[in-house]
mmCIF file of all heavy atoms in Angstrom:
data_model
loop_
_atom_site.group_PDB
_atom_site.id
_atom_site.type_symbol
_atom_site.label_atom_id
_atom_site.label_comp_id
_atom_site.label_asym_id
_atom_site.label_seq_id
_atom_site.Cartn_x
_atom_site.Cartn_y
_atom_site.Cartn_z
ATOM 1 N N PRO A 1 -1.904 -11.413 -11.874
ATOM 2 C CA PRO A 1 -2.358 -12.144 -10.688
ATOM 3 C C PRO A 1 -2.516 -11.266 -9.445
ATOM 4 O O PRO A 1 -1.624 -10.508 -9.094
ATOM 5 C CB PRO A 1 -1.248 -13.183 -10.471
ATOM 6 C CG PRO A 1 -0.023 -12.525 -11.007
ATOM 7 C CD PRO A 1 -0.497 -11.682 -12.178
ATOM 8 N N TRP A 2 -3.664 -11.372 -8.817
ATOM 9 C CA TRP A 2 -3.970 -10.688 -7.567
ATOM 10 C C TRP A 2 -4.506 -11.723 -6.584
ATOM 11 O O TRP A 2 -4.890 -12.835 -6.979
ATOM 12 C CB TRP A 2 -5.030 -9.612 -7.790
ATOM 13 C CG TRP A 2 -4.513 -8.332 -8.357
ATOM 14 C CD1 TRP A 2 -3.849 -8.159 -9.546
ATOM 15 C CD2 TRP A 2 -4.627 -7.038 -7.783
ATOM 16 N NE1 TRP A 2 -3.538 -6.841 -9.732
ATOM 17 C CE2 TRP A 2 -4.018 -6.125 -8.670
ATOM 18 C CE3 TRP A 2 -5.190 -6.552 -6.621
ATOM 19 C CZ2 TRP A 2 -3.951 -4.756 -8.414
ATOM 20 C CZ3 TRP A 2 -5.131 -5.192 -6.369
ATOM 21 C CH2 TRP A 2 -4.511 -4.310 -7.255
ATOM 22 N N LEU A 3 -4.564 -11.339 -5.307
ATOM 23 C CA LEU A 3 -5.137 -12.182 -4.263
ATOM 24 C C LEU A 3 -6.214 -11.382 -3.537
ATOM 25 O O LEU A 3 -6.077 -10.178 -3.334
ATOM 26 C CB LEU A 3 -4.077 -12.619 -3.260
ATOM 27 C CG LEU A 3 -2.964 -13.525 -3.799
ATOM 28 C CD1 LEU A 3 -1.884 -13.712 -2.741
ATOM 29 C CD2 LEU A 3 -3.531 -14.865 -4.238
ATOM 30 N N THR A 4 -7.281 -12.067 -3.130
ATOM 31 C CA THR A 4 -8.334 -11.476 -2.318
ATOM 32 C C THR A 4 -8.246 -12.074 -0.928
ATOM 33 O O THR A 4 -8.289 -13.294 -0.777
ATOM 34 C CB THR A 4 -9.729 -11.756 -2.921
ATOM 35 O OG1 THR A 4 -9.792 -11.162 -4.213
ATOM 36 C CG2 THR A 4 -10.840 -11.184 -2.042
ATOM 37 N N TYR A 5 -8.085 -11.213 0.076
ATOM 38 C CA TYR A 5 -8.005 -11.636 1.477
ATOM 39 C C TYR A 5 -9.332 -11.285 2.142
ATOM 40 O O TYR A 5 -9.678 -10.113 2.287
ATOM 41 C CB TYR A 5 -6.862 -10.910 2.196
ATOM 42 C CG TYR A 5 -5.516 -11.164 1.576
ATOM 43 C CD1 TYR A 5 -4.995 -10.300 0.614
ATOM 44 C CD2 TYR A 5 -4.744 -12.259 1.958
ATOM 45 C CE1 TYR A 5 -3.750 -10.527 0.045
ATOM 46 C CE2 TYR A 5 -3.502 -12.491 1.397
ATOM 47 C CZ TYR A 5 -3.010 -11.618 0.443
ATOM 48 O OH TYR A 5 -1.784 -11.847 -0.117
ATOM 49 N N ASN A 6 -10.070 -12.302 2.539
ATOM 50 C CA ASN A 6 -11.375 -12.131 3.173
ATOM 51 C C ASN A 6 -11.371 -12.965 4.444
ATOM 52 O O ASN A 6 -11.645 -14.165 4.405
ATOM 53 C CB ASN A 6 -12.488 -12.560 2.221
ATOM 54 C CG ASN A 6 -13.863 -12.284 2.780
ATOM 55 O OD1 ASN A 6 -14.008 -11.851 3.912
ATOM 56 N ND2 ASN A 6 -14.872 -12.539 1.964
ATOM 57 N N ASP A 7 -11.016 -12.341 5.562
ATOM 58 C CA ASP A 7 -10.817 -13.036 6.833
ATOM 59 C C ASP A 7 -9.768 -14.126 6.633
ATOM 60 O O ASP A 7 -8.683 -13.831 6.166
ATOM 61 C CB ASP A 7 -12.129 -13.567 7.396
ATOM 62 C CG ASP A 7 -13.070 -12.438 7.813
ATOM 63 O OD1 ASP A 7 -12.570 -11.345 8.154
ATOM 64 O OD2 ASP A 7 -14.290 -12.642 7.789
ATOM 65 N N ALA A 8 -10.082 -15.379 6.929
ATOM 66 C CA ALA A 8 -9.099 -16.460 6.810
ATOM 67 C C ALA A 8 -9.050 -17.034 5.394
ATOM 68 O O ALA A 8 -8.229 -17.896 5.096
ATOM 69 C CB ALA A 8 -9.423 -17.580 7.802
ATOM 70 N N GLN A 9 -9.895 -16.555 4.509
ATOM 71 C CA GLN A 9 -9.964 -17.081 3.146
ATOM 72 C C GLN A 9 -9.117 -16.221 2.202
ATOM 73 O O GLN A 9 -9.238 -14.993 2.175
ATOM 74 C CB GLN A 9 -11.417 -17.075 2.684
ATOM 75 C CG GLN A 9 -11.645 -17.733 1.357
ATOM 76 C CD GLN A 9 -13.123 -17.735 0.987
ATOM 77 O OE1 GLN A 9 -13.857 -16.811 1.338
ATOM 78 N NE2 GLN A 9 -13.548 -18.761 0.296
ATOM 79 N N VAL A 10 -8.253 -16.875 1.417
ATOM 80 C CA VAL A 10 -7.430 -16.193 0.416
ATOM 81 C C VAL A 10 -7.744 -16.828 -0.936
ATOM 82 O O VAL A 10 -7.602 -18.032 -1.112
ATOM 83 C CB VAL A 10 -5.917 -16.325 0.732
ATOM 84 C CG1 VAL A 10 -5.098 -15.629 -0.350
ATOM 85 C CG2 VAL A 10 -5.601 -15.758 2.107
ATOM 86 N N LEU A 11 -8.183 -16.000 -1.870
ATOM 87 C CA LEU A 11 -8.576 -16.484 -3.195
ATOM 88 C C LEU A 11 -7.710 -15.845 -4.274
ATOM 89 O O LEU A 11 -7.336 -14.677 -4.182
ATOM 90 C CB LEU A 11 -10.040 -16.133 -3.473
ATOM 91 C CG LEU A 11 -11.069 -16.651 -2.472
ATOM 92 C CD1 LEU A 11 -12.426 -16.042 -2.750
ATOM 93 C CD2 LEU A 11 -11.133 -18.167 -2.542
ATOM 94 N N HIS A 12 -7.443 -16.602 -5.326
ATOM 95 C CA HIS A 12 -6.724 -16.075 -6.489
ATOM 96 C C HIS A 12 -7.719 -15.346 -7.390
ATOM 97 O O HIS A 12 -8.842 -15.800 -7.582
ATOM 98 C CB HIS A 12 -6.054 -17.215 -7.263
ATOM 99 C CG HIS A 12 -4.908 -17.810 -6.532
ATOM 100 N ND1 HIS A 12 -3.614 -17.375 -6.686
ATOM 101 C CD2 HIS A 12 -4.856 -18.797 -5.609
ATOM 102 C CE1 HIS A 12 -2.823 -18.061 -5.907
ATOM 103 N NE2 HIS A 12 -3.548 -18.944 -5.237
ATOM 104 N N THR A 13 -7.297 -14.215 -7.927
ATOM 105 C CA THR A 13 -8.130 -13.437 -8.833
ATOM 106 C C THR A 13 -7.216 -12.675 -9.792
ATOM 107 O O THR A 13 -6.014 -12.951 -9.853
ATOM 108 C CB THR A 13 -9.069 -12.495 -8.040
ATOM 109 O OG1 THR A 13 -9.982 -11.873 -8.950
ATOM 110 C CG2 THR A 13 -8.298 -11.447 -7.273
ATOM 111 N N THR A 14 -7.765 -11.742 -10.529
ATOM 112 C CA THR A 14 -6.973 -10.904 -11.432
ATOM 113 C C THR A 14 -7.245 -9.436 -11.121
ATOM 114 O O THR A 14 -8.281 -9.097 -10.541
ATOM 115 C CB THR A 14 -7.324 -11.156 -12.908
ATOM 116 O OG1 THR A 14 -8.680 -10.750 -13.127
ATOM 117 C CG2 THR A 14 -7.124 -12.610 -13.294
ATOM 118 N N GLY A 15 -6.331 -8.584 -11.510
ATOM 119 C CA GLY A 15 -6.518 -7.161 -11.316
ATOM 120 C C GLY A 15 -7.759 -6.658 -12.020
ATOM 121 O O GLY A 15 -8.507 -5.845 -11.480
ATOM 122 N N CYS A 16 -8.012 -7.161 -13.205
ATOM 123 C CA CYS A 16 -9.190 -6.747 -13.972
ATOM 124 C C CYS A 16 -10.468 -7.069 -13.195
ATOM 125 O O CYS A 16 -11.362 -6.229 -13.089
ATOM 126 C CB CYS A 16 -9.192 -7.444 -15.330
ATOM 127 S SG CYS A 16 -10.521 -6.911 -16.420
ATOM 128 N N ALA A 17 -10.553 -8.265 -12.637
ATOM 129 C CA ALA A 17 -11.732 -8.657 -11.855
ATOM 130 C C ALA A 17 -11.869 -7.792 -10.605
ATOM 131 O O ALA A 17 -12.971 -7.370 -10.242
ATOM 132 C CB ALA A 17 -11.642 -10.131 -11.470
ATOM 133 N N VAL A 18 -10.748 -7.506 -9.947
ATOM 134 C CA VAL A 18 -10.768 -6.669 -8.743
ATOM 135 C C VAL A 18 -11.298 -5.280 -9.080
ATOM 136 O O VAL A 18 -12.173 -4.756 -8.388
ATOM 137 C CB VAL A 18 -9.354 -6.564 -8.114
ATOM 138 C CG1 VAL A 18 -9.317 -5.478 -7.042
ATOM 139 C CG2 VAL A 18 -8.924 -7.903 -7.533
ATOM 140 N N PHE A 19 -10.798 -4.662 -10.130
ATOM 141 C CA PHE A 19 -11.216 -3.306 -10.487
ATOM 142 C C PHE A 19 -12.704 -3.265 -10.817
ATOM 143 O O PHE A 19 -13.405 -2.340 -10.437
ATOM 144 C CB PHE A 19 -10.403 -2.763 -11.653
ATOM 145 C CG PHE A 19 -8.929 -2.802 -11.395
ATOM 146 C CD1 PHE A 19 -8.049 -3.177 -12.381
ATOM 147 C CD2 PHE A 19 -8.407 -2.480 -10.148
ATOM 148 C CE1 PHE A 19 -6.685 -3.228 -12.142
ATOM 149 C CE2 PHE A 19 -7.046 -2.528 -9.891
ATOM 150 C CZ PHE A 19 -6.187 -2.906 -10.899
ATOM 151 N N GLU A 20 -13.182 -4.287 -11.518
ATOM 152 C CA GLU A 20 -14.590 -4.337 -11.878
ATOM 153 C C GLU A 20 -15.475 -4.495 -10.641
ATOM 154 O O GLU A 20 -16.492 -3.831 -10.503
ATOM 155 C CB GLU A 20 -14.838 -5.490 -12.856
ATOM 156 C CG GLU A 20 -16.221 -5.460 -13.462
ATOM 157 C CD GLU A 20 -16.370 -6.481 -14.561
ATOM 158 O OE1 GLU A 20 -15.546 -6.474 -15.492
ATOM 159 O OE2 GLU A 20 -17.310 -7.281 -14.472
ATOM 160 N N GLU A 21 -15.060 -5.364 -9.719
ATOM 161 C CA GLU A 21 -15.858 -5.641 -8.526
ATOM 162 C C GLU A 21 -15.751 -4.544 -7.467
ATOM 163 O O GLU A 21 -16.702 -4.300 -6.733
ATOM 164 C CB GLU A 21 -15.411 -6.965 -7.898
ATOM 165 C CG GLU A 21 -15.681 -8.173 -8.764
ATOM 166 C CD GLU A 21 -14.981 -9.422 -8.247
ATOM 167 O OE1 GLU A 21 -14.495 -9.415 -7.098
ATOM 168 O OE2 GLU A 21 -14.913 -10.400 -9.006
ATOM 169 N N GLN A 22 -14.604 -3.907 -7.355
ATOM 170 C CA GLN A 22 -14.349 -2.993 -6.241
ATOM 171 C C GLN A 22 -14.491 -1.514 -6.587
ATOM 172 O O GLN A 22 -14.273 -0.666 -5.725
ATOM 173 C CB GLN A 22 -12.931 -3.227 -5.689
ATOM 174 C CG GLN A 22 -12.614 -4.647 -5.343
ATOM 175 C CD GLN A 22 -13.564 -5.251 -4.324
ATOM 176 O OE1 GLN A 22 -14.013 -4.588 -3.407
ATOM 177 N NE2 GLN A 22 -13.879 -6.514 -4.501
ATOM 178 N N GLN A 23 -14.869 -1.181 -7.795
ATOM 179 C CA GLN A 23 -14.869 0.220 -8.182
ATOM 180 C C GLN A 23 -15.817 1.096 -7.363
ATOM 181 O O GLN A 23 -15.600 2.298 -7.239
ATOM 182 C CB GLN A 23 -15.137 0.364 -9.673
ATOM 183 C CG GLN A 23 -16.486 -0.139 -10.134
ATOM 184 C CD GLN A 23 -16.636 -0.020 -11.631
ATOM 185 O OE1 GLN A 23 -16.110 0.907 -12.239
ATOM 186 N NE2 GLN A 23 -17.348 -0.946 -12.228
ATOM 187 N N HIS A 24 -16.845 0.507 -6.752
ATOM 188 C CA HIS A 24 -17.767 1.303 -5.951
ATOM 189 C C HIS A 24 -17.580 1.118 -4.453
ATOM 190 O O HIS A 24 -18.189 1.826 -3.663
ATOM 191 C CB HIS A 24 -19.214 0.970 -6.335
ATOM 192 C CG HIS A 24 -19.509 1.257 -7.769
ATOM 193 N ND1 HIS A 24 -19.536 2.535 -8.295
ATOM 194 C CD2 HIS A 24 -19.757 0.430 -8.806
ATOM 195 C CE1 HIS A 24 -19.801 2.481 -9.572
ATOM 196 N NE2 HIS A 24 -19.937 1.218 -9.921
ATOM 197 N N SER A 25 -16.742 0.162 -4.047
ATOM 198 C CA SER A 25 -16.575 -0.106 -2.618
ATOM 199 C C SER A 25 -15.150 0.156 -2.127
ATOM 200 O O SER A 25 -14.869 -0.041 -0.952
ATOM 201 C CB SER A 25 -16.965 -1.553 -2.314
ATOM 202 O OG SER A 25 -16.151 -2.437 -3.047
ATOM 203 N N ALA A 26 -14.268 0.589 -3.005
ATOM 204 C CA ALA A 26 -12.881 0.849 -2.598
ATOM 205 C C ALA A 26 -12.847 1.923 -1.524
ATOM 206 O O ALA A 26 -13.472 2.974 -1.647
ATOM 207 C CB ALA A 26 -12.042 1.257 -3.795
ATOM 208 N N TYR A 27 -12.120 1.639 -0.450
ATOM 209 C CA TYR A 27 -12.049 2.542 0.696
ATOM 210 C C TYR A 27 -10.664 3.168 0.813
ATOM 211 O O TYR A 27 -10.531 4.359 1.016
ATOM 212 C CB TYR A 27 -12.409 1.748 1.955
ATOM 213 C CG TYR A 27 -12.474 2.541 3.225
ATOM 214 C CD1 TYR A 27 -13.442 3.513 3.402
ATOM 215 C CD2 TYR A 27 -11.570 2.315 4.247
ATOM 216 C CE1 TYR A 27 -13.521 4.246 4.571
ATOM 217 C CE2 TYR A 27 -11.636 3.043 5.427
ATOM 218 C CZ TYR A 27 -12.606 4.005 5.583
ATOM 219 O OH TYR A 27 -12.666 4.725 6.738
ATOM 220 N N ILE A 28 -9.627 2.346 0.667
ATOM 221 C CA ILE A 28 -8.239 2.810 0.713
ATOM 222 C C ILE A 28 -7.482 2.171 -0.443
ATOM 223 O O ILE A 28 -7.586 0.963 -0.662
ATOM 224 C CB ILE A 28 -7.554 2.439 2.046
ATOM 225 C CG1 ILE A 28 -8.306 3.048 3.233
ATOM 226 C CG2 ILE A 28 -6.093 2.914 2.048
ATOM 227 C CD1 ILE A 28 -7.782 2.587 4.575
ATOM 228 N N LEU A 29 -6.713 2.972 -1.162
ATOM 229 C CA LEU A 29 -5.886 2.480 -2.267
ATOM 230 C C LEU A 29 -4.420 2.626 -1.886
ATOM 231 O O LEU A 29 -4.023 3.659 -1.351
ATOM 232 C CB LEU A 29 -6.158 3.267 -3.547
ATOM 233 C CG LEU A 29 -7.603 3.324 -4.029
ATOM 234 C CD1 LEU A 29 -7.718 4.241 -5.236
ATOM 235 C CD2 LEU A 29 -8.121 1.947 -4.348
ATOM 236 N N PHE A 30 -3.630 1.607 -2.170
ATOM 237 C CA PHE A 30 -2.191 1.648 -1.898
ATOM 238 C C PHE A 30 -1.441 1.606 -3.220
ATOM 239 O O PHE A 30 -1.694 0.749 -4.064
ATOM 240 C CB PHE A 30 -1.755 0.441 -1.051
ATOM 241 C CG PHE A 30 -2.303 0.467 0.337
ATOM 242 C CD1 PHE A 30 -3.538 -0.100 0.618
ATOM 243 C CD2 PHE A 30 -1.594 1.062 1.370
ATOM 244 C CE1 PHE A 30 -4.053 -0.076 1.902
ATOM 245 C CE2 PHE A 30 -2.103 1.093 2.656
ATOM 246 C CZ PHE A 30 -3.346 0.517 2.926
ATOM 247 N N TYR A 31 -0.510 2.548 -3.374
ATOM 248 C CA TYR A 31 0.300 2.626 -4.576
ATOM 249 C C TYR A 31 1.765 2.433 -4.229
ATOM 250 O O TYR A 31 2.208 2.790 -3.143
ATOM 251 C CB TYR A 31 0.134 3.999 -5.244
ATOM 252 C CG TYR A 31 -1.206 4.205 -5.879
ATOM 253 C CD1 TYR A 31 -2.283 4.699 -5.149
ATOM 254 C CD2 TYR A 31 -1.403 3.912 -7.222
ATOM 255 C CE1 TYR A 31 -3.517 4.895 -5.733
ATOM 256 C CE2 TYR A 31 -2.638 4.106 -7.812
ATOM 257 C CZ TYR A 31 -3.693 4.601 -7.058
ATOM 258 O OH TYR A 31 -4.907 4.786 -7.647
ATOM 259 N N LYS A 32 2.509 1.900 -5.175
ATOM 260 C CA LYS A 32 3.957 1.743 -5.038
ATOM 261 C C LYS A 32 4.610 2.679 -6.046
ATOM 262 O O LYS A 32 4.252 2.689 -7.221
ATOM 263 C CB LYS A 32 4.356 0.300 -5.332
ATOM 264 C CG LYS A 32 5.845 0.056 -5.363
ATOM 265 C CD LYS A 32 6.096 -1.407 -5.746
ATOM 266 C CE LYS A 32 7.543 -1.676 -5.938
ATOM 267 N NZ LYS A 32 8.033 -1.300 -7.240
ATOM 268 N N ARG A 33 5.553 3.478 -5.568
ATOM 269 C CA ARG A 33 6.280 4.365 -6.480
ATOM 270 C C ARG A 33 7.341 3.552 -7.201
ATOM 271 O O ARG A 33 8.137 2.852 -6.586
ATOM 272 C CB ARG A 33 6.928 5.525 -5.726
ATOM 273 C CG ARG A 33 7.614 6.479 -6.666
ATOM 274 C CD ARG A 33 8.254 7.619 -5.925
ATOM 275 N NE ARG A 33 9.052 8.367 -6.861
ATOM 276 C CZ ARG A 33 9.097 9.676 -6.910
ATOM 277 N NH1 ARG A 33 8.410 10.383 -6.053
ATOM 278 N NH2 ARG A 33 9.844 10.286 -7.789
ATOM 279 N N ASN A 34 7.350 3.641 -8.511
ATOM 280 C CA ASN A 34 8.323 2.932 -9.329
ATOM 281 C C ASN A 34 9.463 3.865 -9.697
ATOM 282 O O ASN A 34 9.261 5.062 -9.883
ATOM 283 C CB ASN A 34 7.666 2.412 -10.614
ATOM 284 C CG ASN A 34 6.545 1.465 -10.312
ATOM 285 O OD1 ASN A 34 6.701 0.528 -9.543
ATOM 286 N ND2 ASN A 34 5.386 1.722 -10.882
ATOM 287 N N ASP A 35 10.635 3.316 -9.823
ATOM 288 C CA ASP A 35 11.797 4.074 -10.253
ATOM 289 C C ASP A 35 11.700 4.237 -11.765
ATOM 290 O O ASP A 35 11.967 3.312 -12.519
ATOM 291 C CB ASP A 35 13.072 3.333 -9.853
ATOM 292 C CG ASP A 35 14.324 4.096 -10.204
ATOM 293 O OD1 ASP A 35 14.225 5.178 -10.800
ATOM 294 O OD2 ASP A 35 15.412 3.602 -9.879
ATOM 295 N N VAL A 36 11.279 5.409 -12.210
ATOM 296 C CA VAL A 36 11.043 5.661 -13.634
ATOM 297 C C VAL A 36 12.313 5.455 -14.444
ATOM 298 O O VAL A 36 12.300 4.843 -15.497
ATOM 299 C CB VAL A 36 10.481 7.084 -13.865
ATOM 300 C CG1 VAL A 36 10.330 7.375 -15.339
ATOM 301 C CG2 VAL A 36 9.160 7.236 -13.144
ATOM 302 N N GLU A 37 13.441 5.940 -13.940
ATOM 303 C CA GLU A 37 14.695 5.814 -14.667
ATOM 304 C C GLU A 37 15.096 4.353 -14.840
ATOM 305 O O GLU A 37 15.505 3.928 -15.908
ATOM 306 C CB GLU A 37 15.798 6.567 -13.923
ATOM 307 C CG GLU A 37 16.935 6.974 -14.817
ATOM 308 C CD GLU A 37 17.862 7.933 -14.107
ATOM 309 O OE1 GLU A 37 17.422 9.025 -13.747
ATOM 310 O OE2 GLU A 37 19.028 7.548 -13.936
ATOM 311 N N ALA A 38 14.934 3.533 -13.782
ATOM 312 C CA ALA A 38 15.273 2.114 -13.868
ATOM 313 C C ALA A 38 14.337 1.402 -14.824
ATOM 314 O O ALA A 38 14.751 0.548 -15.596
ATOM 315 C CB ALA A 38 15.224 1.467 -12.486
ATOM 316 N N SER A 39 13.038 1.767 -14.791
ATOM 317 C CA SER A 39 12.074 1.154 -15.707
ATOM 318 C C SER A 39 12.427 1.486 -17.146
ATOM 319 O O SER A 39 12.378 0.640 -18.030
ATOM 320 C CB SER A 39 10.659 1.647 -15.405
ATOM 321 O OG SER A 39 10.262 1.230 -14.140
#
C-alpha cells in the first residue's frame, strides 16, 4: 500500500503502480535505512 498526495487530494495506490507511473518523472527519492541485523 502506497498513497499519492496531489495538493489536497490523497489517493490509495500500490508501489507497483507508482514505480510504473513515476519512472520517468521522479525528481527526489527518499530511502529509509533498515537495521540489517534486526531484520
Side-chain angles (χ1 to χ4, degrees):
W2 280 59
L3 295 172
T4 298
Y5 300 93
N6 185 355
D7 293 333
Q9 187 178 33
V10 179
L11 303 171
H12 290 268
T13 187
T14 65
C16 185
V18 168
F19 305 139
E20 190 172 306
E21 294 168 13
Q22 308 302 323
Q23 63 183 326
H24 300 293
S25 60
Y27 184 66
I28 301 173
L29 305 175
F30 293 88
Y31 289 87
K32 174 183 174 278
R33 183 180 171 138
N34 300 310
D35 183 358
V36 176
E37 204 169 297
S39 295

